[in-house]
Amino acid sequence: MEAGHWKAPAALVASGAVGATRPAVELREVSRRYGRGRQAVRALDGISEQFPAGTFTAIMGPSGSGKSTLIQCAAGLDKPSSGKVMLGDIELSRLREPKLTKVRRRHIGFIFQAFNLLPALTARQNIVLPMELDNRPVDRDFFETITRRVGIEGVLERRPAELSGGQQQRVAIARALLPRPRVVFADEPTGALDVRTARSVMQLLRASVDELGQTLVMVTHDPAAAAYADRVLMLVDGRTVDELLWPDASTVASRLARLEG
Amino acid sequence: MRISHLIRSMLHRRGNIAGSLVAQTLAVAVMFATLLLGYSSGQGPGITYRYADADAVVRISPTRLLGVASDMVPEAFAFRMSDETIQALAAVDGVAAVIPDRTFRAQVLDEQGSPIVVDGHDASTGQAWRTAVLTPFALLAGEEPQREREVVIDRAIAEAGDVHVGDSVEVLTQASTETYTVVGIAAPPAGDALPRQVSMFFSEATVEQLAPTSQGTVVAGVIFEDSVDESAVLEGIRTVAAEHSLEVLVGPDRGRADLTAGAGELGDLGILFLFLGAFVGFVAIFVIGSTFGFAIQQRTREIALQRAIGYTPGQVRRAIALEAAVIGLLGGVMGVGIGTVGAFAFIEVMQVAGRAPDELSLHFWANGIWVVLIASLAISQLAVFLAGRRASRIRPVIALREGAARQRVVSPIRTVIGGALVACAVACLAIAPSVDVEGAIGISFLVTICGTVGIACLAPTLVYLGSSFADLLFSRRVRATTRVAIRNGRARAARAGSAAGVIVLTLGFATLIACFNATLESGVVAETRRALQADIFVVPQAEVLAPAAVEVVRDIDGVDAVSASYDFAGLYVGEDEGMVEAEDVLGRAVDPASMGDIVDVPFEAGSWDGLEPGTVIVTAELASWMGLDVGSSWTVTMPDMTEIEVHVTGVVRQPVANAEALFTIQDVLPHLIDPTITEMLVTVEPGAQVEEVIAAIEAAGKTGMPMAVVDKEDYIAGLNAGLRENAWAGNLIIGGAAAFAGIAAINTVVMSTWERGREFSMMRLIGSLERQILQMVNAESILLALSASAVGIAIGVLSATVVSIGLVGDASALTVPVVQVGVYGAIATLVIMLAASSSARARLRDVAVTTDQGAA
């Protein structure tokens, strides 16, 4: 099915998806400042958002709008200057190491723009690494399901240097999904890919939401990628200024252009 | 955390790992080599010359005699055993003969009255012919001495002096100079003489006159009967030994009793190796810490990624610690092998250079392997402790950022430690004026250690500040590549600081040693000129200069006053908290009537005026250690084992000619076994010509009292020559540490340059020529090396100032060998520049002109 024509699962609609389902992640008055005094930069400015379970949310905005900062705070990779980040009933923003890392690797998946696979390990070893770090046994059936679904079952013993960009990103997706996290965050997952590969990756991500009930939050500057989402949030100057539900690519593009204008 | 992942990761980063492994291996190699050298020195000579044919050798055991609790027994004091002890040994079943080796100083003079000198043989001794069997010396010509005034000489003397059987020779001994007839020529099994020593043999009657039995025996050789059970005989001897406080030496241990100079040198070498090992160990910890820390810095992005994937800080620390342990173990094993070969080669080179006696041989200490491996593991863990903690706190968000991860330049812990060390150095400088010369030497090293390590800790901050300052002042006046180099210094301050720290440390110590040697010379010269009022200095030209020489010199026209001195080793036995302790006392017996007029030394208490029979003047250090003050009573055992009680009449700040205590000749001379004048200080009458008096003294010496006579300037020149001769030990230490640190600095620079492949690639992309990139790299390394060298040299010079203060009370004696120190700085700069330049050239050949950041 083409981008822009995806519909939310029936169950999601019937339940009054947005706003009704307990959010997988919630930001409450979250601010993030860098620097001090006059030179301080306010990357997030008291933002409050919910990311319902089982939904696919895209975050967009002009350069410097705070979208990467939002996703980093939401994923527990960065600490907000104020406000709360809730992962279900866990307040991420109050956790300290090593508990924060343990919560992250168990409940949060992350897909990077630059794939960020460990070069010394094979694809298989990269995928199971978070589970091994958590001393959790790998569900072999689920592993095979995921790897087959993302289409990398034939390259599992290769190292990242021996894989194409698309294959590396698929490995990264499998790594993020295998632990069955509550939420997966993706930061420009198609940024380093060509158009065709990007499309296939977006289809995979969409399928993870539809078939596995995964919650997915994605930062992107690509309207075509955003069109795969259930919801698109527009950020400007660290605040949410607009929201689109199940938009198509051209709607996203025009809204974005207006913001940047 | 799987070991397989760790190994894969390490193999993938083998370039990064190699640098750390090189540093670790080198450190272990040097430490193990010095450990082996120290152990070998401590094993004793391992070769027996004089007593090679004795089945056993016995001598007094200070440990048993005194009941001293520790093994630190005095070396210089020669304990004597009685005739009764000799008889008890001879009575043991299976013993054929016990031969007391009563050796005394003796020297053959030529027709002009000068001693016959054999090259490389400094000592000349006389003994009874019956002791020849202990080596054995075999007669090559003539017969054994049976009557008085007969002598058998060794072949070395015969050839050096062209002496033959039947010739008459003058033999100088402590007792007299007499004419003897050469009745035989003998030689030991290998060579013409014992190593470093020539020997002559007399009849029993002659020896009884020259070295009476009443003086006691230091060493006795034991010959077993043929076909006896040696172990049973030894058991019998050991029973006697226990009753008479003897130690029994068999096998290679017999060499410990040897009179050759080599046996004594081993102890000094052992101390040298200890210092070398300790110093290099200190440098090693610092260098390994720097290298490991730097290697971890290079992995910031990778570690951030690990954190992002889910490594907890603890897992990051454990992974780093495990990696360091693998490197520590590998480096340890390789270092042991290299160190063993190195120690062997070192001994060979030292022996060829004449700096180590032939008696030094390599003894392999198997347990030392475990010691070094454990130390290697411990050092590697210590080295990564702080770096690992820093790495575990790397925020995972850094993995998401484009461009180089920003290095925090100012580490609070490093700043605090560095600041504290620098403050400690300053504090040490402040107390320098209040200590004596030995204390000053210690403080100068402390200042250097604290100063260089403190600056090394602060190096990243200083590099950052220095680069910022230079950018502000000079960037518009220099060409583009230099401008970029200055700004790179600021951006890469943390990395540059690692290399800079090593340079500061090494140059600091190298400069200290160079200035120390030069200042010591200068200070000794200044102090000798000031303190000694004598016009002429007389020292023995032969083995012996009998006390009678004093009157001979005093009677010479033009001589105003003569003050003779006798160096000797006394023994102090005391109790400390119920434990017996013994220390030898380096004493000098002086003439109380004239010493104060000729030698002017600063007193902390008392004066020369109080020195008379029954009194002693001690150094401040000795007084402090012994708890003595003016008026205190002190009992000292003399070489003939009698005790004398003296009262302290003065405390001097510094030793006088290395003596810790100045006694009167009247108190000491009767108790010296083999007294020989150490030196005579002579003043001439007003109007007398010094040169004429010198000639007259030399002529008088030709009558059987060979004397070396020099004026004050020649005397000082001789002191300087001696100091320069001894400087090799310090140069060896600093050379070893500098070589190690130099390799480590090269290591760091190469690693640091290699990781800049992408930066070089981007510079090429925007239009830089390869030549310009190399200019930039060269400018960076020159700026870094010159600055670090300057700081290190400054610290070394400042530390050497303390030595001058200790010597003469102020900085006037400070001497900086500018050329030598300049060469050090130039070498450091050149080495760093070549390392960076070579690495950059190699890297430029590798990188493509691209900005792709895909997998390498």
Side-chain angles (χ1 to χ4, degrees):
Chain A
M1 300 180 77
E2 292 298 319
H5 296 280
W6 285 98
K7 292 189 189 308
L12 214 57
V13 175
S15 65
V18 181
T21 312
R22 191 178 68 161
V25 178
E26 183 179 359
L27 276 68
R28 298 175 188 170
E29 290 294 317
V30 169
S31 292
R32 182 68 172 99
R33 283 181 297 279
Y34 296 102
R36 287 179 186 163
R38 279 193 189 176
Q39 293 173 342
V41 173
R42 207 178 259 268
L44 293 179
D45 191 6
I47 197 167
S48 294
E49 278 298 336
Q50 293 180 349
F51 300 98
T55 62
F56 184 165
T57 306
I59 301 173
M60 303 189 75
S63 188
S65 59
K67 50 187 189 296
S68 289
T69 308
L70 185 152
I71 204 173
Q72 287 164 14
C73 287
L77 293 173
D78 199 3
K79 240 177 179 35
S81 305
S82 62
K84 287 184 185 179
V85 176
M86 303 298 297
L87 178 69
D89 53 357
I90 302 172
E91 189 178 341
L92 270 188
S93 41
R94 287 188 70 152
L95 291 182
R96 289 182 152 185
E97 294 292 352
K99 195 157 185 196
L100 175 61
T101 300
K102 290 178 180 175
V103 166
R104 277 197 299 105
R105 72 186 178 202
R106 188 165 290 201
H107 299 300
I108 298 175
F110 209 102
I111 302 167
F112 306 87
Q113 177 182 1
F115 325 139
N116 277 351
L117 303 177
L118 291 178
L121 305 182
T122 62
R124 178 191 299 275
Q125 290 165 343
N126 266 286
I127 292 169
V128 302
L129 184 59
M131 304 283 287
E132 287 181 345
L133 290 171
D134 209 24
N135 287 321
R136 285 164 62 193
V138 174
D139 182 339
R140 290 287 158 203
D141 292 335
F142 190 58
F143 177 87
E144 284 172 16
T145 302
I146 291 289
T147 52
R148 195 169 42 245
R149 190 64 187 84
V150 301
I152 55 169
E153 69 271 27
V155 297
L156 288 174
E157 304 313 321
R158 292 189 194 171
R159 285 200 176 77
E162 298 162 331
L163 302 174
S164 68
Q167 286 172 325
Q168 288 184 55
Q169 193 61 297
R170 289 165 189 270
V171 171
I173 291 171
R175 181 178 65 187
L177 294 178
L178 184 65
R180 295 191 223 241
R182 293 190 196 183
V183 59
V184 171
F185 291 96
D187 189 358
E188 305 271 12
T190 60
L193 303 174
D194 58 81
V195 172
R196 189 173 167 180
T197 310
R199 189 188 310 146
S200 80
V201 165
M202 288 313 304
Q203 288 172 347
L204 269 175
L205 292 176
R206 183 71 242 183
S208 72
V209 176
D210 297 337
E211 296 171 20
L212 303 176
Q214 187 66 63
T215 306
L216 182 61
V217 179
M218 178 183 73
V219 164
T220 185
H221 66 274
D222 181 4
Y228 283 84
D230 302 318
R231 180 170 73 127
V232 176
L233 294 179
M234 296 286 184
L235 259 63
V236 172
D237 292 337
R239 291 181 180 177
T240 309
V241 298
D242 204 353
E243 182 187 39
L244 301 172
L245 295 178
W246 301 304
D248 55 35
S250 59
T251 308
V252 173
S254 66
R255 196 68 65 91
L256 195 58
R258 201 184 311 163
L259 288 174
E260 289 174 347
Chain B
M1 172 79 244
R2 286 197 172 172
I3 300 293
S4 61
H5 289 181
L6 175 71
I7 293 172
R8 280 179 187 276
S9 173
M10 289 176 70
L11 285 173
H12 185 78
R13 290 180 288 108
R14 41 187 181 276
N16 178 284
I17 297 293
S20 303
L21 191 57
V22 163
Q24 186 82 24
T25 303
L26 277 178
V28 172
V30 174
M31 284 193 292
F32 190 62
T34 52
L35 191 70
L36 282 186
L37 291 169
Y39 177 73
S40 299
S41 302
Q43 295 309 297
I47 305 173
T48 309
Y49 295 116
R50 187 174 194 80
Y51 305 108
D53 236 29
D55 295 302
V57 171
V58 293
R59 62 180 184 179
I60 294 283
S61 162
T63 307
R64 287 181 175 174
L65 179 68
L66 302 171
V68 177
S70 74
D71 288 334
M72 298 297 289
V73 295
E75 288 288 341
F77 195 79
F79 294 89
R80 312 250 160 195
M81 53 181 138
S82 64
D83 236 21
E84 288 74 24
T85 303
I86 303 294
Q87 288 164 9
L89 286 167
V92 170
D93 279 343
V95 169
V98 177
I99 302 171
D101 188 10
R102 292 203 304 278
T103 303
F104 51 92
R105 282 185 267 228
Q107 193 144 21
V108 177
L109 305 179
D110 62 20
E111 289 171 354
Q112 285 75 39
S114 298
I116 294 176
V117 174
V118 179
D119 282 343
H121 292 67
D122 301 326
S124 180
T125 59
Q127 49 266 326
W129 172 250
R130 65 191 287 234
T131 67
V133 71
L134 298 174
T135 304
F137 272 85
L139 270 173
L140 303 176
E143 59 185 20
E144 62 188 62
Q146 293 174 352
R147 289 170 283 275
E148 291 185 27
R149 305 285 182 266
E150 288 185 347
V151 65
V152 169
I153 59 175
D154 68 24
R155 185 160 52 187
I157 301 174
E159 289 183 353
D162 194 25
V163 178
H164 305 94
V165 173
D167 288 350
S168 293
V169 293
E170 296 286 301
V171 177
L172 169 68
T173 65
Q174 181 272 329
S176 60
T177 303
E178 301 286 349
T179 304
Y180 289 77
T181 304
V182 177
V183 298
I185 295 173
D192 299 328
L194 296 173
R196 291 181 293 277
Q197 174 187 337
V198 294
S199 311
M200 58 199 80
F201 302 91
F202 302 86
S203 65
E204 287 296 326
T206 305
V207 170
E208 189 59 32
Q209 287 177 12
L210 300 176
T213 312
S214 58
Q215 291 178 354
T217 301
V218 175
V219 177
V222 182
I223 307 287
F224 295 173
E225 290 173 355
D226 293 335
S227 308
V228 292
D229 179 359
E230 288 189 5
S231 56
V233 178
L234 273 174
E235 199 181 319
I237 291 174
R238 289 195 172 108
T239 304
V240 173
E243 293 164 5
H244 292 262
S245 303
L246 302 175
E247 63 175 342
V248 182
L249 306 171
V250 294
D253 282 345
R254 292 170 297 169
R256 291 175 183 269
D258 220 306
L259 294 172
T260 58
E265 282 177 38
L266 290 178
D268 294 339
L269 278 177
I271 294 173
L272 170 64
F273 295 141
L274 183 70
F275 270 112
L276 183 59
F279 184 64
V280 173
F282 164 74
V283 173
I285 290 172
F286 186 83
V287 166
I288 290 173
S290 267
T291 309
F292 274 46
F294 179 75
I296 291 172
Q297 267 178 19
Q298 286 185 306
R299 296 169 55 198
T300 299
R301 213 179 176 83
E302 179 198 340
I303 294 171
L305 175 58
Q306 289 175 342
R307 292 280 289 116
I309 290 170
Y311 277 70
T312 63
Q315 284 173 322
V316 168
R317 282 196 299 273
R318 280 193 291 278
I320 289 172
L322 198 54
E323 193 172 297
V326 169
I327 292 173
L329 203 59
L330 269 177
V333 169
M334 292 196 298
V336 163
I338 295 171
T340 305
V341 171
F344 180 77
F346 186 80
I347 288 176
E348 293 292 311
V349 169
M350 291 271 282
Q351 285 174 338
V352 165
R355 298 297 185 187
D358 294 336
E359 289 86 341
L360 179 62
S361 60
L362 190 67
H363 291 253
F364 192 82
W365 185 31
N367 282 341
I369 296 176
W370 300 114
V371 170
V372 161
L373 282 179
I374 290 170
S376 179
L377 280 170
I379 288 173
S380 65
Q381 293 303 302
L382 198 67
V384 299
F385 178 72
L386 283 179
R389 287 180 65 85
R390 265 203 310 276
S392 69
R393 289 199 287 265
I394 290 174
R395 292 182 297 138
V397 71
I398 287 173
L400 304 175
R401 292 192 182 147
E402 280 297 313
R406 189 164 174 275
Q407 297 290 318
R408 185 179 59 174
V409 174
V410 180
S411 157
I413 294 178
R414 256 183 107 130
T415 304
V416 168
I417 293 174
L421 287 170
V422 170
C424 184
V426 172
C428 289
L429 283 173
I431 68 169
S434 62
V435 299
D436 64 9
V437 63
E438 287 191 7
I441 293 171
I443 285 185
S444 70
F445 273 88
L446 200 57
V447 169
T448 307
I449 289 171
C450 291
T452 54
V453 176
I455 293 294
C457 289
L458 296 171
T461 309
L462 293 174
V463 169
Y464 181 84
L465 291 174
S467 302
S468 302
F469 186 66
D471 189 22
L472 206 62
L473 283 183
F474 304 117
S475 62
R476 287 186 191 158
R477 297 174 206 167
V478 298
R479 59 185 175 187
T481 51
T482 307
R483 194 157 50 238
V484 173
I486 292 172
R487 289 168 184 168
N488 276 344
R490 186 174 57 194
R492 302 169 59 81
R495 284 163 168 68
S498 292
V502 174
I503 297 171
V504 168
L505 189 75
T506 310
L507 267 289
F509 275 98
T511 303
L512 172 65
I513 302 269
C515 291
F516 174 84
N517 290 334
T519 300
L520 199 63
E521 272 183 45
S522 172
V524 165
V525 165
E527 183 59 16
T528 304
R529 277 215 178 89
R530 188 200 65 76
L532 293 183
Q533 311 304 315
D535 302 303
I536 296 171
F537 298 77
V538 182
V539 295
Q541 195 183 20
E543 278 287 327
V544 179
L545 185 58
V550 178
E551 288 306 316
V552 169
V553 173
R554 196 167 275 151
D555 288 341
I556 289 173
D557 286 340
V559 169
D560 185 18
V562 180
S563 183
S565 305
Y566 300 78
D567 283 347
F568 70 98
L571 180 71
Y572 165 72
V573 180
E575 261 191 48
D576 185 22
E577 296 176 351
M579 283 175 31
V580 176
E581 58 179 16
E583 289 289 338
D584 45 17
V585 176
L586 301 177
R588 176 169 272 215
V590 300
D591 178 3
S594 57
M595 195 66 174
D597 296 332
I598 297 180
V599 178
D600 175 20
V601 291
F603 276 75
E604 288 196 355
S607 68
W608 284 117
D609 294 339
L611 187 64
E612 58 185 22
T615 65
V616 68
I617 292 172
V618 297
T619 59
E621 187 182 343
L622 185 69
S624 169
W625 176 58
M626 293 267 187
L628 299 172
D629 206 343
V630 173
S632 299
S633 174
W634 191 33
T635 303
V636 180
T637 304
M638 291 288 113
D640 66 354
M641 304 294 285
T642 58
E643 291 181 345
I644 65 170
E645 185 180 350
V646 289
H647 296 273
V648 177
T649 191
V651 179
V652 288
R653 195 160 166 240
Q654 294 172 15
V656 174
N658 296 326
E660 298 174 299
L662 300 174
F663 299 79
T664 65
I665 289 175
Q666 292 87 333
D667 285 332
V668 170
L669 206 57
H671 302 290
L672 297 183
I673 302 292
D674 205 358
T676 185
I677 294 172
T678 303
E679 65 182 9
M680 283 190 279
L681 308 179
V682 181
T683 54
V684 300
E685 290 172 344
Q689 294 295 318
V690 171
E691 298 77 17
E692 288 175 8
V693 174
I694 288 175
I697 296 175
E698 283 176 341
K702 299 289 184 194
T703 60
M705 292 182 177
M707 289 180 272
V709 191
V710 294
D711 62 17
K712 195 168 179 177
E713 288 310 311
D714 287 344
Y715 179 75
I716 290 171
L719 285 178
N720 271 349
L723 287 170
R724 272 186 215 135
E725 178 71 15
N726 291 332
W728 71 272
N731 291 335
L732 174 69
I733 291 175
I734 204 60
F740 175 74
I743 291 173
I746 292 171
N747 206 18
T748 304
V749 166
V750 168
M751 284 162 64
S752 168
T753 309
W754 195 260
E755 71 162 358
R756 297 168 70 184
R758 189 160 177 246
E759 176 191 341
F760 293 162
S761 179
M762 287 176 63
M763 289 185 72
R764 296 277 286 115
L765 193 68
I766 60 172
S768 292
L769 303 172
E770 278 196 14
R771 173 176 54 84
Q772 288 173 313
I773 294 174
L774 289 172
Q775 281 173 357
M776 177 194 75
V777 168
N778 286 341
E780 285 172 19
S781 54
I782 288 171
L783 285 170
L784 177 77
L786 277 180
S787 307
S789 298
V791 171
I793 287 170
I795 294 173
V797 170
L798 207 57
S799 306
T801 309
V802 175
V803 176
S804 173
I805 293 173
L807 279 172
V808 300
D810 54 41
S812 59
L814 173 66
T815 305
V816 180
V818 175
V819 172
Q820 185 178 356
V821 169
V823 167
Y824 290 163
I827 290 175
T829 304
L830 194 63
V831 163
I832 296 298
M833 197 182 84
L834 283 174
S837 177
S838 308
S839 180
R841 278 179 207 278
R843 201 70 178 106
L844 281 167
R845 277 197 297 271
D846 273 352
V847 297
V849 183
T850 174
T851 57
D852 282 350
Q853 61 162 345

